[in-house]
Amino acid sequence: MGEQTAFAKMNGLGNEIIVADMRGRSDRVAPAAAIALAHDPATRFDQLMAIHDPKTLDTDYYVEIINCDGTQAQACGNGMRCVVQALAAETGRNSFTFETLAGILTAEEHAGGLISVDMGKPRFGWQEIPLAEEFHDTRRIELQVGPIDDPVLHSPSAASMGNPHAIFWVDRDVWSYELEKFGPLLENHPIFPERANISIAQITASDALTLRTWERSAGLTLACGSAACAAAVSAARTDRTGRNVTVTVPGGPLLIEWREDDHVLMTGPAEWEFAGSFDPATGAWMRDADAAPLNAIGKRGVA
Ligand SMILES: N[C@@H](CCC[C@H](N)C(=O)O)C(=O)O
């Protein structure tokens, strides 16, 4: 067995997350190790957030985001809140600057335990999302599911929060759509050359919407923070809501603020489950309540 490293099993509104401590090491979590952990019912996760030493001046850590199928994701809002809670418990600090594939993000844990992450600026250009065809207006792209004259879903908004998103606007309850059936087809539609996270959104007030997401690589999840951001900015951009929106996902509410400086601030909770250590080469793991250092979060509130 290779050199073990600490991890914390956490969740952000039910989005299953592993926070892995890869600081001070030159190796990375192997895709096969991630897949092995994702397939074990005890450690199953949607995303694994690997905390590395910083690569860039003025950042605290580099965070690599790995989906449960071993592929990399550029952004993961729920995972970032889990990383912040873990690091806040370990260091006693409450604000951090991270580098991810989506860019440099800042984040803060508030006194009541909620965590805000500045998810950066959304991008709407068809090449930035990316889409395979030129669309001047990504508030509404040509894509539909079902019969041509009576589609079940149609004309989604498209946006990038570092990762690609499509949001289908619906009038009925989001649970009345078979997202598990349409999600895989839409995720892999040729219009999305890097695949996409697919969401269904119903506006419920001028400052609220409900959202279900089929995540790229992970499938149906209880929450997708970057999708909540993409849906909120797309709702504001299409005059469906204002710029401050409560996005209710199956796991609970997220507060999304699209600030005047164009940055998107996501606020919500994170929850610690248990701690352990694992081998980043193979995924072999053990539960270990006393392992250092991320397991400090395991002692939150415990004498
Ligand atoms: N759960 C995440 C999004 C995860 C990334 C996604 N699967 C992708 O590949 O883009 C979130 O909370 O944002």
Side-chain angles (χ1 to χ4, degrees), residues 15 47 67 72-79 119 163-164 197 215-218 223-227:
N15 196 185
Q47 278 79 42
N67 281 316
Q72 282 203 328
Q74 299 90 339
C76 178
N78 295 315
M119 297 284 287
N163 55 350
N197 297 285
E215 273 193 17
R216 180 176 64 168
S217 295
C224 180
S226 52

Side-chain angles (χ1 to χ4, degrees), residues 12 15-17 46-47 49 65-69 71-81 119 161-165 187 194-197 213-219 221 223-229 254 266:
N15 196 185
E16 300 286 352
I17 303 293
D46 300 308
Q47 278 79 42
M49 314 292 288
I65 304 168
I66 305 172
N67 281 316
C68 53
D69 64 356
T71 59
Q72 282 203 328
Q74 299 90 339
C76 178
N78 295 315
M80 290 310 298
R81 295 199 311 281
M119 297 284 287
M161 287 305 308
N163 55 350
H165 290 271
E187 173 191 352
E194 294 179 11
R195 300 183 289 133
N197 297 285
T213 302
W214 175 272
E215 273 193 17
R216 180 176 64 168
S217 295
T221 58
C224 180
S226 52
C229 296
L254 282 169
M266 173 206 58

Side-chain angles (χ1 to χ4, degrees), residues 220-300:
L220 287 179
T221 58
L222 289 177
C224 180
S226 52
C229 296
V233 298
S234 298
R237 212 177 155 228
T238 54
D239 297 324
R240 288 178 163 93
T241 63
R243 294 172 75 100
N244 288 343
V245 183
T246 300
V247 177
T248 302
V249 299
L254 282 169
L255 306 179
I256 311 294
E257 180 189 356
W258 189 10
R259 295 191 325 218
E260 290 306 324
D261 66 359
D262 202 21
H263 283 240
V264 183
L265 200 70
M266 173 206 58
T267 301
E271 186 180 25
W272 183 91
E273 294 177 17
F274 68 88
S277 57
F278 78 110
D279 179 348
T282 64
W285 71 280
M286 63 182 95
R287 211 178 266 255
D288 186 354
D290 294 323
L294 274 179
N295 292 10
I297 56 175
K299 300 192 171 64
R300 180 176 278 254

Side-chain angles (χ1 to χ4, degrees), residues 74-97:
Q74 299 90 339
C76 178
N78 295 315
M80 290 310 298
R81 295 199 311 281
C82 293
V83 166
V84 170
Q85 191 188 77
L87 290 170
E90 182 204 45
T91 63
R93 290 172 51 192
N94 68 352
S95 63
F96 301 92
T97 303

